[in-house]
Amino acid sequence: MSSGPVTLTDRKSRVKQQLSDYLELTKPKIAVLLLVCVAIAAYCASNGQPDVARLIHVIVGTALVAASSCVWNQCLEVHVDRRMNRTAQRPIPSGRLSRYTSALFGTLLGSVGISYLLATVGVVPALIGALTWILYVFIYTPMKQVTPWNTTVGAVAGALPILMGWLAMNPVLDLKAVAIFAILFFWQFPHFMAIAWLYREDYAQGGMKMWSVVDGSGTKAGIQAVSGAMALLLVSVVPGLGEAAMPNVLYMLLSLLGGVFMLVASWRFFTSRDNKTARQLLFASLIYLPCQLALLVILPSGG
C-alpha cells in the first residue's frame, strides 16, 4: 500500500534530520569544552597575546580531528551502543545513519583536520592531532572492552590537544605547559569515575570493562577518583610558580581551594559509593574545570 508522494516538506524534514544526526555524531558539547582548553593553552603559551589567525586555525583543525575521532568511536562501538539504553538511539545504532557513510564522514573530517593543521600551524601540532586520533580510536575505544585501565589511555588522548594549542603559539614546552596538560589529564579521573558509577548498569550491558563494572563495590573507582583529585590539587598550583622569585600567590591559593573542593567531593564518593555522591562529584568536576581554566587567564603568571 502506497504511503503517498514525498512532498518538498518531507524532503526538507529528512535533510534536516540527517544534518542533525551527522552533527550529533561529532558530539559538539564535548568538543566545546575541549576547544576552550585548546584556546586557553594557546593564550598561556603566548603570554596573553596570541596570534589570532593561528589561534583560529588550531581551534578549527582540532575541532575537525576531535569530531572525526568521535564519529569513528561510534562506528566501532555500534554493537555496544545497541545494548546500552543511553546510547541505543544514537544515529548509527538506531539505523538513521549507516555505519559506512558515517565512517566516510569521519574519515573526511579527520583527513581535512590533519591537513588543515599541517598547512596552518605546522608539523608538530598536526602530528599530535594524528596521535590523539590514533590513541582515541584504535587504542582507547577497543580497550574499553578489555581492561578498566582504558580510562588512563583515554585521559592521555583527552589532554593531548592542550599541547596542540600550546605548540601552535610557542615551540617550547615548559613547566607551565606540562602542568596545564596534567590538570586536564588528572581532572578526567574523578569526572569519569562519577560517570562510570552512574551508568555502571549500562556499561555492564554493553560489556564495558569500567572500574565500576569490574569492581561492583565501587572501591576501585573511588580510589581512582581520590588519586586523580590528589594529583590534580598538586599540579594545579604549578602554573602559579612563574619565575622563581615571582610566584602568583593568589592564583596558587585559589587553585588549592579548588583542588580541596574536588578532593572532598572525591573522598565523599569513595566513602559512600552511591549515586548521590557520584552526581555531586560529577557536578563538582563540571564546576571545577571552567573555574581553574579561568584562573589561568584572569591571574596569569610569568613563564
Side-chain angles (χ1 to χ4, degrees):
M1 186 174 179
S2 175
S3 60
V6 178
T7 66
L8 180 60
T9 302
D10 291 333
R11 290 196 186 97
K12 287 182 178 179
S13 178
R14 289 178 184 176
V15 170
K16 185 177 180 181
Q17 180 62 56
Q18 277 205 321
L19 291 175
S20 175
D21 286 336
Y22 278 114
L23 178 62
E24 184 181 339
L25 282 180
T26 66
K27 298 183 179 179
K29 291 181 181 179
I30 295 175
V32 168
L33 178 59
L34 177 64
L35 296 178
V36 168
C37 292
V38 170
I40 288 175
Y43 179 89
C44 293
S46 57
N47 293 317
Q49 297 179 324
D51 180 318
V52 176
R54 289 182 70 82
L55 177 60
I56 293 171
H57 290 322
V58 74
I59 288 174
V60 170
T62 304
L64 290 169
V65 175
S68 170
S69 66
C70 288
V71 173
W72 264 96
N73 168 266
Q74 291 169 82
C75 289
L76 296 177
E77 289 190 338
V78 62
H79 61 292
V80 174
D81 287 344
R82 287 194 182 112
R83 299 200 298 263
M84 299 196 298
N85 293 330
R86 74 186 186 95
T87 57
Q89 292 307 309
R90 284 178 175 174
I92 303 175
S94 67
R96 298 195 307 274
L97 293 178
S98 77
R99 194 177 185 183
Y100 177 73
T101 57
S102 298
L104 287 178
F105 177 56
T107 301
L108 177 64
L109 288 173
S111 301
V112 172
I114 297 298
S115 300
Y116 187 86
L117 288 168
L118 185 61
T120 58
V121 293
V123 174
V124 177
L127 286 175
I128 296 175
L131 174 62
T132 302
W133 193 95
I134 291 168
L135 276 176
Y136 189 83
V137 175
F138 289 136
I139 300 179
Y140 166 67
T141 296
M143 274 185 74
K144 288 192 281 183
Q145 301 285 309
V146 178
T147 172
W149 292 105
N150 67 77
T151 304
T152 303
V153 176
V156 173
L160 276 175
I162 289 288
L163 303 186
M164 295 167 66
W166 184 282
L167 291 168
M169 298 293 163
N170 187 336
V172 178
L173 289 175
D174 60 16
L175 184 61
K176 188 173 183 179
V178 175
I180 298 172
F181 170 88
I183 288 171
L184 188 56
F185 174 77
F186 288 118
W187 169 84
Q188 293 175 77
F189 288 88
H191 177 74
F192 285 116
M193 289 307 121
I195 293 174
W197 179 263
L198 290 170
Y199 294 105
R200 61 193 182 281
E201 294 178 0
D202 245 8
Y203 285 133
Q205 276 188 312
M208 298 285 201
K209 305 298 184 188
M210 301 302 183
W211 284 115
S212 57
V213 174
V214 299
D215 172 28
S217 71
T219 301
K220 291 183 178 179
I223 290 172
Q224 290 277 310
V226 171
S227 300
M230 290 177 65
L232 185 60
L233 188 153
L234 295 175
V235 300
S236 66
V237 302
V238 174
L241 294 175
E243 297 293 342
M246 297 178 60
N248 190 326
V249 177
L250 181 57
Y251 169 88
M252 295 174 73
L253 177 60
L254 292 175
S255 293
L256 280 173
L257 289 174
V260 169
F261 171 68
M262 278 295 293
L263 184 55
V264 168
S266 298
W267 182 258
R268 292 185 73 243
F269 169 64
F270 171 62
T271 55
S272 299
R273 299 189 296 280
D274 56 24
N275 285 359
K276 179 181 178 181
T277 53
R279 287 194 186 93
Q280 289 172 346
L281 176 56
L282 179 59
F283 179 75
S285 70
L286 293 172
I287 294 295
Y288 172 86
L289 187 60
C291 291
Q292 185 63 45
L293 294 174
L295 287 178
L296 290 167
V297 174
I298 297 169
L299 298 172
S301 60

